[in-house]
Short mmCIF file of all heavy atoms in Angstrom, two decimals:
data_model
loop_
_atom_site.label_atom_id
_atom_site.label_comp_id
_atom_site.label_asym_id
_atom_site.label_seq_id
_atom_site.Cartn_x
_atom_site.Cartn_y
_atom_site.Cartn_z
N MET X 25 -9.90 -2.23 14.27
CA MET X 25 -10.36 -1.16 13.43
C MET X 25 -9.25 -0.81 12.44
O MET X 25 -8.08 -0.81 12.80
CB MET X 25 -10.71 0.05 14.31
CG MET X 25 -11.44 1.11 13.60
SD MET X 25 -12.27 2.23 14.75
CE MET X 25 -11.10 3.55 14.75
N VAL X 26 -9.62 -0.53 11.21
CA VAL X 26 -8.62 -0.19 10.20
C VAL X 26 -8.47 1.32 10.07
O VAL X 26 -9.41 2.07 10.29
CB VAL X 26 -8.97 -0.80 8.82
CG1 VAL X 26 -8.88 -2.30 8.85
CG2 VAL X 26 -10.31 -0.33 8.33
N ASP X 27 -7.27 1.73 9.73
CA ASP X 27 -6.95 3.15 9.52
C ASP X 27 -6.13 3.25 8.24
O ASP X 27 -5.08 2.62 8.14
CB ASP X 27 -6.18 3.67 10.72
CG ASP X 27 -5.67 5.08 10.52
OD1 ASP X 27 -6.30 5.86 9.77
OD2 ASP X 27 -4.64 5.41 11.12
N TYR X 28 -6.64 3.99 7.28
CA TYR X 28 -5.96 4.11 6.00
C TYR X 28 -5.12 5.39 5.89
O TYR X 28 -4.71 5.76 4.80
CB TYR X 28 -6.97 4.05 4.85
CG TYR X 28 -7.63 2.71 4.75
CD1 TYR X 28 -8.95 2.53 5.15
CD2 TYR X 28 -6.94 1.60 4.28
CE1 TYR X 28 -9.56 1.29 5.07
CE2 TYR X 28 -7.54 0.36 4.20
CZ TYR X 28 -8.85 0.21 4.60
OH TYR X 28 -9.45 -1.01 4.53
N SER X 29 -4.82 6.04 7.01
CA SER X 29 -4.00 7.25 6.93
C SER X 29 -2.62 6.98 6.32
O SER X 29 -2.09 7.86 5.63
CB SER X 29 -3.90 7.94 8.29
OG SER X 29 -3.35 7.10 9.26
N PRO X 30 -2.03 5.78 6.50
CA PRO X 30 -0.75 5.55 5.81
C PRO X 30 -0.87 5.64 4.29
O PRO X 30 0.07 6.07 3.62
CB PRO X 30 -0.37 4.12 6.24
CG PRO X 30 -1.05 3.93 7.55
CD PRO X 30 -2.35 4.68 7.42
N LEU X 31 -2.04 5.29 3.74
CA LEU X 31 -2.25 5.38 2.29
C LEU X 31 -2.08 6.81 1.81
O LEU X 31 -1.38 7.07 0.84
CB LEU X 31 -3.64 4.87 1.91
CG LEU X 31 -4.09 5.17 0.47
CD1 LEU X 31 -3.20 4.44 -0.54
CD2 LEU X 31 -5.54 4.82 0.28
N TRP X 32 -2.74 7.74 2.50
CA TRP X 32 -2.70 9.14 2.06
C TRP X 32 -1.28 9.70 2.17
O TRP X 32 -0.86 10.47 1.30
CB TRP X 32 -3.71 9.97 2.86
CG TRP X 32 -5.05 9.29 2.90
CD1 TRP X 32 -5.71 8.82 4.00
CD2 TRP X 32 -5.90 8.97 1.78
NE1 TRP X 32 -6.90 8.23 3.64
CE2 TRP X 32 -7.05 8.30 2.29
CE3 TRP X 32 -5.81 9.17 0.41
CZ2 TRP X 32 -8.08 7.86 1.48
CZ3 TRP X 32 -6.84 8.72 -0.41
CH2 TRP X 32 -7.96 8.08 0.12
N ASP X 33 -0.55 9.28 3.21
CA ASP X 33 0.85 9.70 3.35
C ASP X 33 1.70 9.13 2.22
O ASP X 33 2.53 9.83 1.64
CB ASP X 33 1.42 9.25 4.71
CG ASP X 33 0.74 9.93 5.89
OD1 ASP X 33 0.20 11.05 5.71
OD2 ASP X 33 0.77 9.36 6.98
N THR X 34 1.49 7.87 1.90
CA THR X 34 2.25 7.20 0.84
C THR X 34 1.95 7.86 -0.51
O THR X 34 2.86 8.11 -1.30
CB THR X 34 1.91 5.69 0.78
OG1 THR X 34 2.24 5.11 2.05
CG2 THR X 34 2.67 4.99 -0.32
N MET X 35 0.69 8.15 -0.76
CA MET X 35 0.32 8.80 -2.01
C MET X 35 1.00 10.16 -2.13
O MET X 35 1.52 10.52 -3.19
CB MET X 35 -1.19 8.96 -2.10
CG MET X 35 -1.94 7.68 -2.36
SD MET X 35 -3.74 7.85 -2.25
CE MET X 35 -4.07 9.09 -3.50
N LYS X 36 1.02 10.91 -1.05
CA LYS X 36 1.63 12.24 -1.06
C LYS X 36 3.13 12.13 -1.33
O LYS X 36 3.68 12.86 -2.16
CB LYS X 36 1.38 12.93 0.28
CG LYS X 36 1.82 14.37 0.31
CD LYS X 36 1.41 15.04 1.60
CE LYS X 36 1.83 16.50 1.58
NZ LYS X 36 1.42 17.19 2.79
N LYS X 37 3.79 11.19 -0.64
CA LYS X 37 5.24 11.00 -0.82
C LYS X 37 5.58 10.60 -2.25
O LYS X 37 6.61 11.01 -2.79
CB LYS X 37 5.76 9.92 0.14
CG LYS X 37 5.82 10.34 1.58
CD LYS X 37 6.28 9.19 2.45
CE LYS X 37 6.07 9.52 3.92
NZ LYS X 37 6.28 8.37 4.79
N LYS X 38 4.72 9.81 -2.87
CA LYS X 38 4.99 9.31 -4.22
C LYS X 38 4.39 10.19 -5.30
O LYS X 38 4.56 9.92 -6.49
CB LYS X 38 4.50 7.87 -4.35
CG LYS X 38 5.28 6.91 -3.46
CD LYS X 38 4.90 5.49 -3.69
CE LYS X 38 5.71 4.56 -2.83
NZ LYS X 38 6.80 3.95 -3.53
N GLY X 39 3.67 11.23 -4.90
CA GLY X 39 3.08 12.14 -5.87
C GLY X 39 1.97 11.52 -6.70
O GLY X 39 1.81 11.82 -7.87
N VAL X 40 1.18 10.64 -6.07
CA VAL X 40 0.08 9.96 -6.76
C VAL X 40 -1.24 10.54 -6.27
O VAL X 40 -1.51 10.56 -5.08
CB VAL X 40 0.13 8.43 -6.50
CG1 VAL X 40 -1.05 7.73 -7.13
CG2 VAL X 40 1.44 7.84 -6.99
N SER X 41 -2.06 10.98 -7.21
CA SER X 41 -3.36 11.55 -6.86
C SER X 41 -4.45 10.49 -6.86
O SER X 41 -4.26 9.38 -7.38
CB SER X 41 -3.72 12.64 -7.88
OG SER X 41 -3.96 12.04 -9.14
N GLN X 42 -5.59 10.86 -6.30
CA GLN X 42 -6.74 9.95 -6.34
C GLN X 42 -7.16 9.72 -7.78
O GLN X 42 -7.55 8.61 -8.14
CB GLN X 42 -7.91 10.55 -5.54
CG GLN X 42 -7.65 10.58 -4.05
CD GLN X 42 -8.83 11.16 -3.28
OE1 GLN X 42 -9.97 10.80 -3.54
NE2 GLN X 42 -8.54 12.03 -2.34
N TYR X 43 -7.07 10.75 -8.59
CA TYR X 43 -7.40 10.61 -10.01
C TYR X 43 -6.50 9.56 -10.67
O TYR X 43 -6.98 8.74 -11.46
CB TYR X 43 -7.28 11.96 -10.72
CG TYR X 43 -7.62 11.89 -12.18
CD1 TYR X 43 -8.96 11.76 -12.60
CD2 TYR X 43 -6.63 11.93 -13.15
CE1 TYR X 43 -9.28 11.69 -13.94
CE2 TYR X 43 -6.95 11.85 -14.51
CZ TYR X 43 -8.27 11.74 -14.89
OH TYR X 43 -8.59 11.65 -16.22
N ALA X 44 -5.22 9.57 -10.33
CA ALA X 44 -4.28 8.59 -10.89
C ALA X 44 -4.67 7.17 -10.47
O ALA X 44 -4.57 6.23 -11.26
CB ALA X 44 -2.85 8.90 -10.46
N LEU X 45 -5.14 7.02 -9.24
CA LEU X 45 -5.59 5.69 -8.78
C LEU X 45 -6.80 5.23 -9.58
O LEU X 45 -6.88 4.07 -9.98
CB LEU X 45 -5.92 5.72 -7.29
CG LEU X 45 -4.77 5.91 -6.31
CD1 LEU X 45 -5.29 5.90 -4.87
CD2 LEU X 45 -3.69 4.86 -6.50
N ILE X 46 -7.72 6.15 -9.82
CA ILE X 46 -8.91 5.81 -10.61
C ILE X 46 -8.50 5.41 -12.02
O ILE X 46 -8.98 4.41 -12.56
CB ILE X 46 -9.91 6.99 -10.63
CG1 ILE X 46 -10.50 7.19 -9.23
CG2 ILE X 46 -11.01 6.76 -11.66
CD1 ILE X 46 -11.25 8.49 -9.05
N GLN X 47 -7.59 6.17 -12.61
CA GLN X 47 -7.12 5.86 -13.96
C GLN X 47 -6.40 4.51 -14.01
O GLN X 47 -6.40 3.85 -15.04
CB GLN X 47 -6.17 6.97 -14.46
CG GLN X 47 -6.86 8.29 -14.72
CD GLN X 47 -7.93 8.18 -15.78
OE1 GLN X 47 -7.68 7.70 -16.88
NE2 GLN X 47 -9.14 8.63 -15.46
N ALA X 48 -5.81 4.10 -12.88
CA ALA X 48 -5.09 2.83 -12.82
C ALA X 48 -6.02 1.66 -12.48
O ALA X 48 -5.56 0.52 -12.37
CB ALA X 48 -3.96 2.92 -11.81
N GLY X 49 -7.32 1.94 -12.28
CA GLY X 49 -8.26 0.85 -12.07
C GLY X 49 -8.85 0.73 -10.68
O GLY X 49 -9.57 -0.22 -10.39
N VAL X 50 -8.57 1.68 -9.79
CA VAL X 50 -9.18 1.64 -8.46
C VAL X 50 -10.57 2.25 -8.57
O VAL X 50 -10.75 3.34 -9.10
CB VAL X 50 -8.33 2.42 -7.43
CG1 VAL X 50 -9.02 2.46 -6.08
CG2 VAL X 50 -6.95 1.79 -7.30
N ASP X 51 -11.56 1.53 -8.08
CA ASP X 51 -12.95 1.95 -8.15
C ASP X 51 -13.19 3.17 -7.26
O ASP X 51 -12.63 3.27 -6.17
CB ASP X 51 -13.82 0.76 -7.69
CG ASP X 51 -15.29 1.01 -7.88
OD1 ASP X 51 -15.78 0.81 -9.00
OD2 ASP X 51 -15.94 1.41 -6.89
N ARG X 52 -14.06 4.06 -7.72
CA ARG X 52 -14.40 5.26 -6.94
C ARG X 52 -15.02 4.88 -5.59
O ARG X 52 -14.80 5.55 -4.59
CB ARG X 52 -15.36 6.15 -7.72
CG ARG X 52 -14.73 6.82 -8.91
CD ARG X 52 -15.77 7.64 -9.68
NE ARG X 52 -15.25 8.08 -10.95
CZ ARG X 52 -14.65 9.25 -11.14
NH1 ARG X 52 -14.49 10.07 -10.14
NH2 ARG X 52 -14.21 9.58 -12.33
N ARG X 53 -15.81 3.82 -5.60
CA ARG X 53 -16.43 3.37 -4.34
C ARG X 53 -15.36 2.92 -3.35
O ARG X 53 -15.45 3.19 -2.15
CB ARG X 53 -17.42 2.24 -4.60
CG ARG X 53 -18.21 1.87 -3.35
CD ARG X 53 -19.20 0.79 -3.62
NE ARG X 53 -18.47 -0.47 -3.69
CZ ARG X 53 -19.03 -1.64 -3.90
NH1 ARG X 53 -20.30 -1.73 -4.08
NH2 ARG X 53 -18.30 -2.72 -3.94
N THR X 54 -14.33 2.26 -3.86
CA THR X 54 -13.23 1.84 -2.99
C THR X 54 -12.56 3.05 -2.38
O THR X 54 -12.26 3.06 -1.18
CB THR X 54 -12.21 0.99 -3.78
OG1 THR X 54 -12.86 -0.17 -4.29
CG2 THR X 54 -11.04 0.58 -2.91
N LEU X 55 -12.33 4.08 -3.16
CA LEU X 55 -11.72 5.31 -2.62
C LEU X 55 -12.62 5.92 -1.55
O LEU X 55 -12.12 6.39 -0.52
CB LEU X 55 -11.48 6.32 -3.74
CG LEU X 55 -10.25 6.10 -4.58
CD1 LEU X 55 -10.18 7.12 -5.71
CD2 LEU X 55 -8.98 6.14 -3.76
N ASP X 56 -13.92 5.90 -1.77
CA ASP X 56 -14.85 6.42 -0.78
C ASP X 56 -14.76 5.62 0.52
O ASP X 56 -14.75 6.19 1.61
CB ASP X 56 -16.27 6.40 -1.33
CG ASP X 56 -17.27 7.07 -0.40
OD1 ASP X 56 -17.02 8.22 0.02
OD2 ASP X 56 -18.32 6.45 -0.11
N TRP X 57 -14.69 4.32 0.40
CA TRP X 57 -14.57 3.45 1.57
C TRP X 57 -13.25 3.70 2.30
O TRP X 57 -13.20 3.69 3.53
CB TRP X 57 -14.70 1.99 1.18
CG TRP X 57 -16.11 1.57 0.87
CD1 TRP X 57 -17.12 2.36 0.43
CD2 TRP X 57 -16.65 0.26 0.97
NE1 TRP X 57 -18.25 1.63 0.24
CE2 TRP X 57 -18.00 0.34 0.58
CE3 TRP X 57 -16.13 -0.96 1.35
CZ2 TRP X 57 -18.83 -0.77 0.56
CZ3 TRP X 57 -16.96 -2.07 1.33
CH2 TRP X 57 -18.30 -1.97 0.95
N LEU X 58 -12.18 3.93 1.56
CA LEU X 58 -10.88 4.22 2.17
C LEU X 58 -10.96 5.51 2.98
O LEU X 58 -10.43 5.58 4.09
CB LEU X 58 -9.80 4.34 1.10
CG LEU X 58 -9.41 3.05 0.39
CD1 LEU X 58 -8.62 3.35 -0.87
CD2 LEU X 58 -8.62 2.14 1.32
N LYS X 59 -11.64 6.51 2.45
CA LYS X 59 -11.79 7.79 3.16
C LYS X 59 -12.56 7.62 4.46
O LYS X 59 -12.33 8.35 5.42
CB LYS X 59 -12.51 8.80 2.27
CG LYS X 59 -11.70 9.26 1.09
CD LYS X 59 -12.53 10.18 0.21
CE LYS X 59 -11.84 10.42 -1.11
NZ LYS X 59 -12.71 11.16 -2.04
N LYS X 60 -13.48 6.64 4.46
CA LYS X 60 -14.33 6.41 5.64
C LYS X 60 -13.78 5.29 6.53
O LYS X 60 -14.45 4.87 7.47
CB LYS X 60 -15.74 6.07 5.19
CG LYS X 60 -16.41 7.24 4.48
CD LYS X 60 -17.77 6.84 3.95
CE LYS X 60 -18.41 8.00 3.21
NZ LYS X 60 -19.67 7.62 2.59
N ASN X 61 -12.57 4.82 6.24
CA ASN X 61 -11.94 3.74 7.00
C ASN X 61 -12.81 2.49 7.08
O ASN X 61 -12.87 1.81 8.10
CB ASN X 61 -11.54 4.20 8.41
CG ASN X 61 -10.34 5.09 8.39
OD1 ASN X 61 -9.42 4.93 7.58
ND2 ASN X 61 -10.31 6.07 9.28
N LYS X 62 -13.49 2.19 5.97
CA LYS X 62 -14.27 0.95 5.89
C LYS X 62 -13.40 -0.15 5.30
O LYS X 62 -12.38 0.11 4.66
CB LYS X 62 -15.50 1.16 5.01
CG LYS X 62 -16.53 2.09 5.62
CD LYS X 62 -17.76 2.13 4.76
CE LYS X 62 -18.86 2.96 5.41
NZ LYS X 62 -20.08 2.93 4.58
N ASN X 63 -13.82 -1.38 5.49
CA ASN X 63 -13.07 -2.52 4.97
C ASN X 63 -13.06 -2.54 3.44
O ASN X 63 -14.07 -2.24 2.81
CB ASN X 63 -13.66 -3.83 5.48
CG ASN X 63 -13.48 -4.00 6.97
OD1 ASN X 63 -12.54 -3.48 7.55
ND2 ASN X 63 -14.40 -4.71 7.59
N ILE X 64 -11.91 -2.95 2.89
CA ILE X 64 -11.79 -3.16 1.45
C ILE X 64 -11.34 -4.60 1.23
O ILE X 64 -10.91 -5.27 2.17
CB ILE X 64 -10.80 -2.17 0.80
CG1 ILE X 64 -9.40 -2.34 1.37
CG2 ILE X 64 -11.30 -0.74 0.94
CD1 ILE X 64 -8.32 -1.58 0.63
N THR X 65 -11.43 -5.07 0.01
CA THR X 65 -11.03 -6.44 -0.28
C THR X 65 -9.51 -6.56 -0.37
O THR X 65 -8.81 -5.56 -0.57
CB THR X 65 -11.62 -6.91 -1.62
OG1 THR X 65 -11.04 -6.14 -2.68
CG2 THR X 65 -13.14 -6.79 -1.64
N MET X 66 -9.03 -7.77 -0.24
CA MET X 66 -7.60 -8.02 -0.39
C MET X 66 -7.17 -7.71 -1.83
O MET X 66 -6.05 -7.24 -2.05
CB MET X 66 -7.27 -9.48 -0.04
CG MET X 66 -7.44 -9.79 1.43
SD MET X 66 -6.39 -8.78 2.49
CE MET X 66 -4.82 -9.50 2.16
N LEU X 67 -8.05 -7.95 -2.78
CA LEU X 67 -7.74 -7.62 -4.17
C LEU X 67 -7.51 -6.12 -4.34
O LEU X 67 -6.56 -5.70 -5.01
CB LEU X 67 -8.88 -8.09 -5.08
CG LEU X 67 -8.67 -7.88 -6.57
CD1 LEU X 67 -7.45 -8.65 -7.07
CD2 LEU X 67 -9.91 -8.31 -7.33
N SER X 68 -8.33 -5.31 -3.69
CA SER X 68 -8.15 -3.86 -3.74
C SER X 68 -6.85 -3.45 -3.06
O SER X 68 -6.12 -2.58 -3.57
CB SER X 68 -9.32 -3.14 -3.05
OG SER X 68 -10.51 -3.35 -3.76
N LEU X 69 -6.54 -4.08 -1.94
CA LEU X 69 -5.28 -3.78 -1.25
C LEU X 69 -4.09 -4.14 -2.12
O LEU X 69 -3.13 -3.37 -2.25
CB LEU X 69 -5.22 -4.54 0.09
CG LEU X 69 -3.95 -4.35 0.91
CD1 LEU X 69 -3.73 -2.89 1.27
CD2 LEU X 69 -4.01 -5.21 2.16
N GLU X 70 -4.17 -5.30 -2.77
CA GLU X 70 -3.10 -5.72 -3.66
C GLU X 70 -2.94 -4.74 -4.82
O GLU X 70 -1.82 -4.38 -5.19
CB GLU X 70 -3.39 -7.12 -4.19
CG GLU X 70 -2.32 -7.62 -5.16
CD GLU X 70 -2.67 -8.97 -5.78
OE1 GLU X 70 -3.83 -9.40 -5.69
OE2 GLU X 70 -1.75 -9.55 -6.36
N LYS X 71 -4.06 -4.29 -5.37
CA LYS X 71 -4.02 -3.34 -6.49
C LYS X 71 -3.36 -2.03 -6.06
O LYS X 71 -2.51 -1.49 -6.76
CB LYS X 71 -5.43 -3.08 -7.00
CG LYS X 71 -5.47 -2.25 -8.26
CD LYS X 71 -6.90 -2.01 -8.74
CE LYS X 71 -7.52 -3.27 -9.27
NZ LYS X 71 -8.83 -3.06 -9.93
N LEU X 72 -3.73 -1.54 -4.88
CA LEU X 72 -3.13 -0.31 -4.37
C LEU X 72 -1.62 -0.47 -4.17
O LEU X 72 -0.84 0.41 -4.54
CB LEU X 72 -3.78 0.09 -3.05
CG LEU X 72 -5.20 0.64 -3.14
CD1 LEU X 72 -5.85 0.68 -1.76
CD2 LEU X 72 -5.19 2.02 -3.78
N CYS X 73 -1.22 -1.59 -3.60
CA CYS X 73 0.20 -1.85 -3.37
C CYS X 73 0.97 -1.94 -4.68
O CYS X 73 2.10 -1.45 -4.78
CB CYS X 73 0.40 -3.12 -2.55
SG CYS X 73 -0.11 -2.94 -0.83
N THR X 74 0.36 -2.53 -5.69
CA THR X 74 1.00 -2.64 -7.00
C THR X 74 1.14 -1.27 -7.64
O THR X 74 2.22 -0.91 -8.13
CB THR X 74 0.19 -3.58 -7.92
OG1 THR X 74 0.13 -4.87 -7.32
CG2 THR X 74 0.83 -3.69 -9.29
N ILE X 75 0.08 -0.49 -7.62
CA ILE X 75 0.11 0.84 -8.22
C ILE X 75 1.14 1.73 -7.53
O ILE X 75 1.89 2.45 -8.19
CB ILE X 75 -1.29 1.49 -8.16
CG1 ILE X 75 -2.29 0.72 -9.03
CG2 ILE X 75 -1.24 2.97 -8.57
CD1 ILE X 75 -3.73 1.08 -8.77
N LEU X 76 1.16 1.67 -6.20
CA LEU X 76 2.03 2.55 -5.43
C LEU X 76 3.42 1.96 -5.19
O LEU X 76 4.27 2.63 -4.60
CB LEU X 76 1.38 2.89 -4.09
CG LEU X 76 0.09 3.71 -4.17
CD1 LEU X 76 -0.61 3.75 -2.83
CD2 LEU X 76 0.39 5.11 -4.67
N ASP X 77 3.62 0.71 -5.63
CA ASP X 77 4.88 0.01 -5.40
C ASP X 77 5.28 0.09 -3.92
O ASP X 77 6.31 0.64 -3.55
CB ASP X 77 5.99 0.60 -6.28
CG ASP X 77 7.27 -0.24 -6.24
OD1 ASP X 77 7.16 -1.47 -6.03
OD2 ASP X 77 8.36 0.35 -6.40
N CYS X 78 4.39 -0.45 -3.10
CA CYS X 78 4.60 -0.38 -1.65
C CYS X 78 4.08 -1.66 -1.00
O CYS X 78 3.56 -2.55 -1.67
CB CYS X 78 3.89 0.84 -1.08
SG CYS X 78 2.08 0.78 -1.16
N SER X 79 4.19 -1.74 0.30
CA SER X 79 3.71 -2.89 1.04
C SER X 79 2.37 -2.54 1.72
O SER X 79 2.04 -1.35 1.85
CB SER X 79 4.73 -3.32 2.10
OG SER X 79 4.84 -2.32 3.09
N PRO X 80 1.62 -3.54 2.18
CA PRO X 80 0.34 -3.26 2.84
C PRO X 80 0.46 -2.31 4.03
O PRO X 80 -0.44 -1.51 4.27
CB PRO X 80 -0.14 -4.65 3.29
CG PRO X 80 0.45 -5.57 2.28
CD PRO X 80 1.81 -4.99 1.98
N SER X 81 1.58 -2.35 4.74
CA SER X 81 1.74 -1.45 5.89
C SER X 81 1.86 0.01 5.46
O SER X 81 1.72 0.91 6.29
CB SER X 81 2.94 -1.86 6.73
OG SER X 81 4.13 -1.73 5.98
N ASP X 82 2.12 0.25 4.17
CA ASP X 82 2.15 1.62 3.65
C ASP X 82 0.76 2.10 3.25
O ASP X 82 0.59 3.25 2.85
CB ASP X 82 3.08 1.70 2.42
CG ASP X 82 4.51 1.40 2.75
OD1 ASP X 82 4.99 1.87 3.81
OD2 ASP X 82 5.16 0.69 1.96
N VAL X 83 -0.22 1.21 3.37
CA VAL X 83 -1.60 1.52 2.98
C VAL X 83 -2.53 1.50 4.18
O VAL X 83 -3.39 2.37 4.33
CB VAL X 83 -2.11 0.52 1.91
CG1 VAL X 83 -3.59 0.74 1.60
CG2 VAL X 83 -1.27 0.62 0.65
N VAL X 84 -2.37 0.53 5.05
CA VAL X 84 -3.32 0.34 6.15
C VAL X 84 -2.58 -0.01 7.44
O VAL X 84 -1.51 -0.60 7.42
CB VAL X 84 -4.35 -0.77 5.80
CG1 VAL X 84 -3.68 -2.11 5.62
CG2 VAL X 84 -5.46 -0.84 6.81
N ARG X 85 -3.20 0.39 8.53
CA ARG X 85 -2.72 -0.06 9.85
C ARG X 85 -3.95 -0.41 10.68
O ARG X 85 -5.06 0.05 10.40
CB ARG X 85 -1.87 1.00 10.53
CG ARG X 85 -2.61 2.23 10.93
CD ARG X 85 -1.71 3.24 11.58
NE ARG X 85 -2.49 4.45 11.78
CZ ARG X 85 -2.09 5.45 12.52
NH1 ARG X 85 -0.92 5.42 13.11
NH2 ARG X 85 -2.84 6.51 12.66
N PHE X 86 -3.73 -1.24 11.64
CA PHE X 86 -4.81 -1.67 12.51
C PHE X 86 -4.65 -0.99 13.86
O PHE X 86 -3.56 -1.00 14.43
CB PHE X 86 -4.81 -3.20 12.69
CG PHE X 86 -5.09 -3.90 11.40
CD1 PHE X 86 -4.04 -4.35 10.58
CD2 PHE X 86 -6.37 -4.10 10.95
CE1 PHE X 86 -4.29 -4.99 9.38
CE2 PHE X 86 -6.64 -4.74 9.75
CZ PHE X 86 -5.59 -5.18 8.97
N VAL X 87 -5.72 -0.38 14.34
CA VAL X 87 -5.70 0.30 15.62
C VAL X 87 -6.75 -0.32 16.53
O VAL X 87 -7.79 -0.77 16.07
CB VAL X 87 -5.95 1.82 15.47
CG1 VAL X 87 -4.80 2.48 14.76
CG2 VAL X 87 -7.23 2.11 14.75
N LYS X 88 -6.43 -0.33 17.80
CA LYS X 88 -7.36 -0.90 18.77
C LYS X 88 -8.52 0.06 18.98
O LYS X 88 -8.32 1.26 19.16
CB LYS X 88 -6.64 -1.15 20.09
CG LYS X 88 -7.51 -1.80 21.12
CD LYS X 88 -6.74 -2.17 22.36
CE LYS X 88 -7.71 -2.71 23.38
NZ LYS X 88 -7.18 -3.79 24.14
N ASP X 89 -9.72 -0.47 18.93
CA ASP X 89 -10.91 0.31 19.17
C ASP X 89 -11.08 0.47 20.68
O ASP X 89 -11.40 -0.50 21.37
CB ASP X 89 -12.13 -0.39 18.54
CG ASP X 89 -13.39 0.44 18.67
OD1 ASP X 89 -13.36 1.52 19.26
OD2 ASP X 89 -14.42 -0.03 18.15
N THR X 90 -10.84 1.66 21.20
CA THR X 90 -10.88 1.88 22.63
C THR X 90 -12.30 1.96 23.19
O THR X 90 -12.49 1.94 24.40
CB THR X 90 -10.12 3.17 23.01
OG1 THR X 90 -10.70 4.27 22.29
CG2 THR X 90 -8.64 3.03 22.69
N SER X 91 -13.30 2.03 22.31
CA SER X 91 -14.68 2.07 22.79
C SER X 91 -15.20 0.68 23.13
O SER X 91 -16.25 0.55 23.75
CB SER X 91 -15.59 2.72 21.73
OG SER X 91 -15.68 1.90 20.58
N GLN X 92 -14.49 -0.36 22.70
CA GLN X 92 -14.89 -1.74 23.00
C GLN X 92 -14.14 -2.23 24.24
O GLN X 92 -12.97 -1.94 24.39
CB GLN X 92 -14.52 -2.64 21.80
CG GLN X 92 -15.16 -2.21 20.51
CD GLN X 92 -16.46 -2.91 20.26
OE1 GLN X 92 -16.73 -3.96 20.81
NE2 GLN X 92 -17.28 -2.34 19.39
N PRO X 93 -14.81 -2.97 25.11
CA PRO X 93 -14.13 -3.48 26.31
C PRO X 93 -13.12 -4.56 25.99
O PRO X 93 -13.08 -5.17 25.00
CB PRO X 93 -15.27 -4.04 27.17
CG PRO X 93 -16.46 -4.14 26.31
CD PRO X 93 -16.21 -3.31 25.07
#
């Protein structure tokens, strides 16, 4: 399962708003998916990392789904 909470922390630390991401070319639907912890494309991940000047681990982390055996 993916968790994008590192993204929101990174954005806060760097002073980047969601509006700034949209202005830099991140699709509104992608932002909605990030809020809902849905999968995004590698291209979107690369774009976020470029905009925020960070690594993928500053955007996403993988957590074990404890509801699955």
Side-chain angles (χ1 to χ4, degrees):
M25 191 162 100
V26 293
D27 173 28
Y28 294 106
S29 58
L31 168 64
W32 312 117
D33 294 335
T34 301
M35 287 172 59
K36 187 174 182 179
K37 288 177 191 170
K38 294 186 178 260
V40 176
S41 67
Q42 291 181 45
Y43 181 74
L45 292 180
I46 292 167
Q47 291 299 308
V50 176
D51 187 82
R52 290 177 191 268
R53 187 179 77 179
T54 299
L55 280 176
D56 186 51
W57 285 26
L58 291 165
K59 291 175 191 173
K60 295 175 182 176
N61 286 325
K62 291 186 175 183
N63 293 331
I64 62 170
T65 66
M66 292 300 287
L67 183 61
S68 294
L69 179 59
E70 179 184 15
K71 187 180 289 188
L72 287 166
C73 289
T74 300
I75 294 166
L76 295 169
D77 189 29
C78 67
S79 67
S81 64
D82 296 318
V83 174
V84 63
R85 67 181 173 168
F86 295 95
V87 293
K88 183 174 175 142
D89 185 358
T90 57
S91 67
Q92 302 267 339

